[in-house]
Amino acid sequence: MSEGGISSSSPSAASPSSSHHEQDEVDAITKLFGALHCLIIGPGLGRDERMWRVVEKVMTEAKKKDLPMVIDGDGINLLCKNIALIHGYKWAVLTPNVVEFKRLQDSFKSEQEKEENEKKKGKDKGGDEDKPNEKDVQELSRKLGNVTVVLKSSDDVISDGSDSIARCDTKGNARRSGGQGDVLAGSIGTFLAWSRQWSQNNEEGAKGVSTPLTVLAAYAGCTLSRTAGALAFEKHRRS
């Protein structure tokens, strides 16, 4: 835990020879930045430390280019070990489920606080009162430096830490199926890329938009994903 409560522990250091190969991989990816409009980080990533080191470097370079990023799954697990990597980056959107959301919350807690929470969990029966709410999403976003957070739940809750909290309750399929989170991340990424391009070409118009563009992009992605899921369930009668 670094000063200010921002976690900055990176995956284990690599050997010199391994570092050389990792940099080659980073260079191969960053060369493609000119043809990319958004990065989706997490789906299929896994937890290999070597891969995480490569991703950290890629994300660092992407921020220099103001390239939008949607971070999901194991990308969020990576951030839990290095929150500083994304702190304050305005073109990032995080899409945690409830479990991943709580891990992000824990990234800002001391070891003592974590132990106390574990003891409390043993006493609690669990239920709706234990689920994150709008205030929790807003608070986490603020701790992240106003990075937009999308909490995936029965309703999707979206906040960039400001007073603009969005809740997407569009009807979806009966329950989330495997891979649906990946589709959501890609959908948000599409709208996020469009939002950035529009804001670059319409600086004055962007200033007049009351709801943050990252929140709008996330809401649009959630609506698209939920609607597609509902239509698929209606047709095939399965999630």
Side-chain angles (χ1 to χ4, degrees):
M1 187 73 68
S2 66
E3 184 179 355
I6 300 174
S7 173
S8 59
S9 61
S10 298
S12 303
S15 65
S17 59
S18 177
S19 294
H20 177 73
H21 291 300
E22 288 171 13
Q23 190 56 48
D24 287 343
E25 293 172 4
V26 172
D27 292 341
I29 295 170
T30 55
K31 284 179 182 178
L32 300 173
F33 278 2
L36 302 177
H37 297 99
C38 183
L39 298 182
I40 311 298
I41 300 171
L45 176 61
R47 302 187 184 186
D48 179 76
E49 288 194 348
R50 179 177 179 278
M51 182 60 70
W52 277 16
R53 289 192 296 269
V54 170
V55 171
E56 284 186 326
K57 293 175 182 177
V58 169
M59 290 176 67
T60 298
E61 294 303 312
K63 288 191 293 183
K64 294 177 183 178
K65 300 290 185 181
D66 259 0
L67 194 61
M69 289 182 265
V70 180
I71 305 171
D72 184 46
D74 280 321
I76 291 174
N77 289 324
L78 167 59
L79 290 185
C80 288
K81 292 184 175 296
N82 190 2
I83 287 291
L85 187 62
I86 205 69
H87 188 271
Y89 187 54
K90 68 176 183 178
W91 286 112
V93 175
L94 277 55
T95 58
N97 57 29
V98 172
V99 173
E100 293 161 345
F101 184 89
K102 291 181 178 180
R103 286 179 191 154
L104 285 168
Q105 286 181 310
D106 286 345
S107 299
F108 293 94
K109 295 176 182 176
S110 66
E111 290 303 317
Q112 182 179 349
E113 287 176 314
K114 291 178 184 178
E115 289 177 7
E116 290 175 354
N117 282 349
E118 285 300 318
K119 292 178 181 178
K120 184 180 177 182
K121 285 179 185 177
K123 297 178 182 179
D124 291 344
K125 296 180 180 179
D128 290 341
E129 68 277 1
D130 192 42
K131 292 182 179 179
N133 55 37
E134 290 184 357
K135 184 178 179 181
D136 293 325
V137 179
Q138 183 185 53
E139 182 180 322
L140 177 60
S141 176
R142 288 174 177 172
K143 288 181 177 179
L144 289 165
N146 295 95
V147 169
T148 297
V149 176
V150 180
L151 171 62
K152 298 182 292 192
S153 190
S154 53
D155 289 349
D156 298 321
V157 181
I158 308 161
S159 175
D160 73 335
S162 67
D163 293 332
S164 297
I165 300 177
R167 177 180 288 271
C168 183
D169 58 359
T170 301
K171 181 182 178 182
N173 49 340
R175 65 179 180 84
R176 293 183 188 271
S177 57
Q180 194 167 345
D182 301 352
V183 174
L184 172 61
S187 299
I188 293 176
T190 300
F191 288 110
L192 189 61
W194 289 344
S195 297
R196 177 177 176 269
Q197 286 188 314
W198 179 82
S199 66
Q200 288 179 320
N201 297 329
N202 300 273
E203 291 186 12
E204 290 302 315
K207 292 177 182 178
V209 179
S210 58
T211 302
L213 293 177
T214 51
V215 173
L216 289 174
Y219 185 86
C222 290
T223 302
L224 175 62
S225 177
R226 283 171 168 267
T227 301
L231 291 172
F233 181 77
E234 184 178 327
K235 181 177 180 178
H236 300 288
R237 307 309 298 173
R238 59 183 295 180
S239 298

